[in-house]
């Protein structure tokens, strides 16, 4: 009776476990302040344009004449038009019916995977745990390929198996990558597109951190690459972009020419959504529309700059006790290598006890080398400063 695929998951989702760890630390140490740099949750507030639109649309629900019931499963057309406009700024042209409003990357990935059966996923690691877990829950094979920390992520240096056993794949790419902040350059992403074409694979591109990109050579969308429209879908999210982790709104782009076994994935995805969803709430969609005006976008850039400031403060502190740090430039995460001889899980525990700083060990992002931990810089400035100070003040204990 039970879906046995679910039994292959670990006992807890990593961020649920970390929330429990934070609660138990607070309960056991009421005199201490905990600096929680684990889950990548933003500190807010919402950009003003989004907050105003949210308030106005909530009031519309109070009035019989402006009340909204079910909206379109794929989202209101003015928001989808604004998302198309956002892509046009980068020279990417999309049709309105290629854009689906979602309530975030997780549910969109789930709905999208439901279009497949008997397939293998290719999951470069370390990466967002949802890709492998969602694949397992759908009964797919999961092939992992490893990103070596610090070296460029290209098919040539073995991040894609040379002999692609198990292809065609659903290839999950997250760029800038959660957790190590690595952002694929145009030529690296082009290699993945070539690889997908050669192996008949499909790229599922997670662009949740695109607003943090500062490097000129890093594409913001897989659709900036020639030939990608027939082999990629893209997931976007307002969560980290505009502080929507609590509000929920994102999007998924499924190009019309994308076909598998001669079926249109755009039509199948639309069909699946109509059954699985009644759309994202009207106020969330109005708030998202508020983000996509000039003022909203400039507020979002300031939001990303603020977190970049946190990254600098935290990177300076962690540099004192680690064997190397990546990330922070194009993403709100630092990927920190533990001091010699200490594993990621063990060091996260030491950091919590000695400096009261909670981070996510690399074991949460797959079967990586186990020698890293992720620091989320999405906290407020005071937390970043205090956490950095606590790391520095306790450096001796941390280096033992
Ligand atoms: C993260 O911290 O990486 C995620 O945003 C948390 C999640 O989506 O579960």
């Amino acid at each position: 009776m039970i879906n046995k695929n679910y039994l292959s998951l670990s006992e807890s989702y990593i961020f649920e476990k970390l929330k429990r760890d934070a609660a138990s630390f607070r309960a056991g140490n009421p005199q201490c302040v905990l600096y929680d740099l684990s889950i990548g949750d933003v500190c807010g507030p919402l950009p003003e344009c989004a907050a105003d639109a949210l308030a106005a649309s909530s009031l519309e629900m109070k009035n019989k004449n402006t009340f909204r019931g079910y909206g379109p499963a794929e989202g209101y057309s003015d928001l989808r038009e604004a998302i198309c406009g956002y892509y046009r700024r980068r020279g990417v042209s999309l049709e309105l019916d290629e854009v689906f409003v979602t309530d975030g990357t997780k549910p969109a990935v789930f709905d999208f995977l439901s279009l497949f059966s008997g397939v293998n996923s290719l999951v470069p690691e370390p990466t967002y745990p949802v890709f492998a877990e969602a694949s397992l829950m759908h009964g797919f094979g999961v092939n992992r390929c490893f990103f070596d920390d610090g070296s460029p992520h290209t098919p040539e240096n073995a991040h894609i198996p040379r002999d692609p056993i198990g292809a065609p794949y659903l290839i999950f790419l997250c760029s800038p990558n959660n957790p190590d902040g690595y952002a694929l350059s145009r030529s690296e992403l082009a290699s993945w597109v070539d690889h997908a074409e050669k192996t008949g694979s499909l790229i599922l591109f997670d662009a949740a951190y695109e607003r943090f990109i500062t490097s000129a050579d890093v594409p913001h969308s897989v659709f900036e690459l020639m030939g990608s429209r027939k082999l990629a879908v893209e997931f976007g999210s307002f969560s980290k972009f505009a502080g929507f982790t609590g509000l929920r709104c994102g999007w998924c782009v499924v190009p019309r020419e994308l076909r598998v076994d001669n079926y249109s994935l755009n039509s199948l995805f639309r069909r699946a959504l109509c059954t699985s969803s009644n759309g994202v709430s009207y106020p969330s969609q109005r708030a998202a529309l508020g983000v996509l005006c000039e003022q909203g976008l400039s507020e979002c850039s300031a939001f990303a700059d603020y977190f970049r400031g946190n990254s600098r403060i935290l990177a300076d502190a962690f540099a004192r006790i680690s064997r190397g740090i990546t990330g922070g430039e194009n993403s709100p995460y630092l990927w920190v290598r533990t001091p010699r001889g200490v594993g990621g899980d063990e060091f996260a525990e030491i950091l919590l006890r000695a400096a009261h700083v909670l981070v996510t060990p690399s074991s949460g992002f797959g079967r990586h080398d186990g020698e890293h931990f992720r620091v989320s810089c999405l906290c407020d400035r005071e937390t970043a400063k205090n956490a950095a100070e606590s790391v520095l003040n306790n450096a001796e204990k941390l280096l033992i």
Side-chain angles (χ1 to χ4, degrees):
M1 292 278 271
I2 204 85
N3 179 347
K4 294 238 168 39
N5 296 327
Y6 282 44
L7 306 182
S8 53
L9 298 176
S10 58
E11 198 182 317
S12 313
Y13 181 59
I14 177 72
F15 297 109
E16 187 203 4
K17 176 192 171 296
L18 286 164
K19 275 186 193 160
R20 280 204 307 271
D21 290 353
S24 95
F25 181 87
R26 287 190 176 106
N29 303 274
Q31 75 292 356
C32 296
V33 178
L34 175 70
Y35 306 115
D36 189 351
L37 309 179
S38 59
I39 189 164
D41 196 1
V42 290
C43 63
L46 283 178
E48 219 169 289
C49 300
D52 290 347
L54 180 66
S57 55
S58 302
L59 285 177
E60 282 180 48
M61 301 298 264
K62 211 176 153 184
N63 183 319
K64 194 170 181 1
N65 298 322
T66 50
F67 170 81
R68 303 281 177 137
Y70 290 132
E74 69 274 27
Y76 287 101
S77 58
D78 50 2
L79 175 56
R80 290 185 293 124
E81 181 48 60
I83 293 169
C84 292
Y86 186 63
Y87 278 82
R88 264 196 304 276
R89 298 159 74 99
R90 308 229 164 260
V92 173
S93 166
L94 300 176
E95 299 294 331
L96 198 61
D97 64 2
E98 295 179 324
V99 177
F100 299 85
V101 176
T102 68
D103 64 359
T105 302
K106 275 181 180 174
V109 165
F110 261 75
D111 280 334
F112 192 75
L113 292 190
S114 74
L115 306 186
F116 300 90
S117 70
V119 76
N120 288 320
S121 293
L122 184 68
V123 183
E125 291 188 355
T127 199
Y128 189 37
V130 167
F131 304 147
E133 293 194 1
S135 299
L136 289 172
M137 288 158 98
H138 282 82
F140 303 165
V142 175
N143 293 11
R144 304 177 189 255
C145 58
F146 296 88
F147 281 176
D148 296 330
D149 182 58
S151 60
H153 298 183
T154 68
E156 287 69 38
N157 65 9
H159 296 117
I160 289 181
R162 277 166 221 278
D163 176 18
I165 298 163
Y169 298 112
L170 300 178
I171 302 175
F172 286 91
L173 291 181
C174 180
S175 178
N177 191 36
N178 176 11
D180 62 354
Y182 191 87
L184 293 166
S185 69
R186 192 164 298 275
S187 63
E188 287 164 347
L189 186 54
S191 312
W192 284 97
V193 170
D194 280 357
H195 179 82
E197 179 148 35
K198 277 188 206 124
T199 57
S201 299
L202 196 67
I203 293 177
L204 282 72
F205 191 79
D206 179 359
Y209 297 94
E210 90 51 42
R211 199 74 205 163
F212 293 88
I213 294 173
T214 52
S215 307
D217 186 35
V218 170
H220 288 240
S221 162
V222 68
F223 298 119
E224 289 177 41
L225 278 289
M226 287 273 290
S228 56
R229 283 183 55 89
K230 53 183 190 334
L231 47 79
V233 293
E234 181 160 303
F235 301 95
S237 168
F238 291 96
S239 286
K240 314 293 158 80
F241 178 148
F244 274 51
T245 50
L247 199 52
R248 313 304 308 152
C249 197
W251 68 89
C252 178
V253 177
V254 187
R256 280 183 189 164
E257 46 270 70
L258 201 57
R259 299 184 84 80
V260 170
D261 299 340
N262 224 16
Y263 292 101
S264 155
L265 292 186
N266 180 290
S267 307
L268 284 178
F269 189 58
R270 181 178 313 280
R271 181 65 193 83
L273 265 193
C274 291
T275 298
S276 71
S277 163
N278 280 317
V280 177
S281 84
Y282 175 64
S284 288
Q285 293 195 54
R286 295 325 277 177
L289 188 60
V291 166
L292 293 173
C293 66
E294 281 310 317
Q295 194 198 322
L297 289 174
S298 90
E299 284 184 63
C300 291
S301 299
F303 198 60
D305 283 344
Y306 177 86
F307 296 130
R308 221 169 275 115
N310 288 350
S311 300
R312 283 191 289 273
I313 294 167
L314 288 162
D316 281 351
F318 280 107
R320 284 277 298 279
I321 53 132
S322 72
R323 278 182 289 160
I325 298 180
T326 60
E329 279 272 303
N330 291 303
S331 93
Y333 299 125
L334 300 175
W335 186 240
V336 187
R337 193 158 184 209
T338 55
R340 195 170 303 283
V342 195
D345 289 300
E346 189 190 346
F347 191 73
E349 190 60 37
I350 296 171
L351 198 55
L352 179 62
R353 297 289 148 215
H356 310 154
V357 174
L358 185 66
V359 294
T360 310
S362 50
S363 57
F365 302 100
R367 296 174 308 174
H368 192 54
D369 62 5
E371 286 193 348
H372 287 78
F373 57 92
R374 188 193 75 174
V375 175
S376 168
C377 304
L378 293 162
C379 54
D380 60 34
R381 185 56 50 84
E382 203 188 336
T383 304
K385 282 185 177 162
N386 291 339
E389 196 177 304
S390 183
V391 168
L392 293 175
N393 288 344
N394 292 288
E396 275 181 26
K397 285 187 232 160
L398 296 171
L399 283 168
I400 288 173

